[in-house]
Amino acid sequence: MKYSKATNYALHTMVHLTMEPKGHTVSVDQLACLQDLSPTYLSKILTKLVKAGLIESVPGAKGGYSISRRAQDISFLDVIEAVEGQSVLFNCAFDHEESDCLIERVMIEAESNMKKELAGRTIQSIAEQSQEIKKEK
């Protein structure tokens, strides 16, 4: 299983925006520069985050992006699902009842456990850890 690079960039963007002062916006060009990305490519990712209600876009010359809700209420799973969608990772290739497939049961349980772990990890907690590491250096 592998997440797309877009998810990687989205998670890093969310952590960066979380570390900005409240009410401060960051332009797509600044965010793209921080990750060495094309602003056009990052813009597509930001659009997904806006649609999911995780960030907001402020138009205008002094506009940009900012977190739209409390970072402690945004989980890794929220960001991943905003970028990747909510589809299941495993579908049994054979035609039988889901309850009859022991392999599918294992995969569904593993996916459920992974989602619980990701739902329990907040963007705020990673931003705080990142700030602690910067203080130590």
Side-chain angles (χ1 to χ4, degrees), residues 37-58:
L37 296 174
S38 146
T40 304
Y41 176 63
L42 185 58
S43 214
K44 292 175 185 176
I45 297 167
L46 295 172
T47 297
K48 290 180 179 185
L49 297 174
V50 169
K51 284 182 182 177
L54 302 177
I55 64 173
E56 61 186 2
S57 173
V58 177

Side-chain angles (χ1 to χ4, degrees), residues 4-123:
S4 69
K5 287 183 181 181
T7 294
N8 184 0
Y9 299 135
L11 287 164
H12 280 87
T13 297
M14 292 298 295
V15 170
H16 180 79
L17 290 175
T18 297
M19 293 168 49
E20 290 293 322
K22 187 171 175 75
H24 186 259
T25 61
V26 183
S27 73
V28 68
D29 290 333
Q30 291 171 310
L31 291 168
C33 184
L34 288 169
Q35 298 183 70
D36 197 26
L37 296 174
S38 146
T40 304
Y41 176 63
L42 185 58
S43 214
K44 292 175 185 176
I45 297 167
L46 295 172
T47 297
K48 290 180 179 185
L49 297 174
V50 169
K51 284 182 182 177
L54 302 177
I55 64 173
E56 61 186 2
S57 173
V58 177
K62 299 208 180 211
Y65 293 89
S66 63
I67 297 289
S68 63
R69 40 189 237 224
R70 297 176 343 151
Q72 61 261 35
D73 295 334
I74 301 172
S75 72
F76 269 56
L77 185 61
D78 294 330
V79 178
I80 292 166
E81 288 182 343
V83 176
E84 303 282 345
Q86 296 183 6
S87 63
V88 294
L89 299 176
F90 181 85
N91 288 308
C92 186
F94 295 97
D95 187 24
H96 51 71
E97 294 288 322
E98 179 182 312
S99 60
D100 291 341
C101 184
L102 298 176
I103 294 169
E104 191 166 26
R105 282 190 208 171
V106 169
M107 298 303 287
I108 287 171
E109 182 180 347
E111 185 175 345
S112 175
N113 289 335
M114 181 183 69
K115 284 184 174 183
K116 285 178 191 170
E117 179 68 23
L118 293 169
R121 300 289 178 124
T122 66
I123 296 299

